[in-house]
Amino acid sequence: MPRYELVMITKALERPETVTVVKRAVQSLLEKGAIVRQVESLGERKLPYIMRAHTENFTQGRYFVVEFDGPTTLVSSMSQLLKQDLDIIRPNIIKKEVKLFPDPPCPGIVTKEPNYYSPTPSAWFGAEDVKLEKFVKRDKRMKVRKEKRRERRELRKQQEKEQQEMQ
């Protein structure tokens, strides 16, 4: 049986009423021969736009994701049933791809994608190391300059002291 995901938006009801709505949906799935794998609540959120269902307009709703395995004939009948439920604003059943084997572990070689958004062409081709070397050299030069300035200041101070002593 293929795996499906039922994404539904329910009315923003109180907790006990919301639980009964979700139980009703899951129970109808089980009656139709589905195997429910997971039920997840994504919480109450403001809807992206005003949704109209059963002659009412909604701005708030509770999002739920129900993952289940079921026969292919279940999808059309289940979507019709859920659309008729007055407490469900928007049901959507999506076929989910199941991976039989997990992705293999990383072999240890990671290649960098070129950064085409960088303003310098050297970053496009992974020349970050060259940039780092330039910055390291620049930092060394700056440190040397600072040391020389400090030495000059000390020399000036000594010369000024000597001149003051001579006067």
Side-chain angles (χ1 to χ4, degrees):
M1 286 191 276
R3 182 157 296 177
Y4 294 99
E5 224 175 39
L6 165 63
V7 181
M8 62 180 173
I9 304 171
T10 65
K11 290 180 181 179
L13 302 168
E14 295 297 318
R15 185 176 174 89
E17 296 160 344
T18 305
V19 170
T20 57
V21 171
V22 174
K23 274 186 182 179
R24 210 169 39 226
V26 170
Q27 193 64 35
S28 59
L29 279 170
L30 293 172
E31 287 171 0
K32 302 240 183 213
I35 301 167
V36 177
R37 300 281 178 196
Q38 184 180 6
V39 178
E40 183 179 1
S41 171
L42 302 178
E44 185 175 334
R45 299 180 185 178
K46 184 179 179 198
L47 298 175
Y49 52 90
I50 297 173
M51 291 187 182
R52 185 171 176 82
H54 311 292
T55 67
E56 291 182 56
N57 293 328
F58 298 97
T59 56
Q60 287 284 112
R62 289 187 189 266
Y63 287 75
F64 289 94
V65 178
V66 180
E67 198 172 300
F68 66 94
D69 295 339
T72 54
T73 57
L74 170 111
V75 177
S76 61
S77 63
M78 206 46 213
S79 58
Q80 285 177 356
L81 183 72
L82 291 171
K83 284 178 184 174
Q84 292 173 357
D85 193 333
L86 296 176
D87 293 327
I88 296 176
I89 299 170
R90 182 80 37 100
N92 195 3
I93 298 176
I94 305 164
K95 186 172 184 180
K96 189 173 181 186
E97 195 171 311
V98 179
K99 290 186 178 182
L100 297 176
F101 302 103
D103 292 334
C106 179
I109 300 171
V110 179
T111 58
K112 290 186 177 179
E113 289 292 320
N115 184 3
Y116 295 113
Y117 298 106
S118 175
T120 57
S122 60
W124 298 351
F125 304 106
E128 285 86 14
D129 300 334
V130 175
K131 282 184 176 179
L132 289 176
E133 288 176 17
K134 287 181 182 178
F135 285 120
V136 169
K137 288 180 183 177
R138 182 176 173 228
D139 287 342
K140 286 181 183 177
R141 281 187 273 146
M142 295 300 285
K143 286 181 184 177
V144 169
R145 286 181 186 169
K146 284 182 181 179
E147 288 177 23
K148 286 183 180 179
R149 283 185 201 139
R150 189 169 23 93
E151 289 174 2
R152 281 190 227 132
R153 283 186 204 131
E154 289 175 6
L155 278 173
R156 280 188 211 137
K157 286 181 183 179
Q158 285 179 359
Q159 289 173 355
E160 287 174 3
K161 282 184 184 179
E162 289 175 2
Q163 285 178 359
Q164 285 178 358
E165 288 175 2
M166 296 205 37
Q167 291 177 357

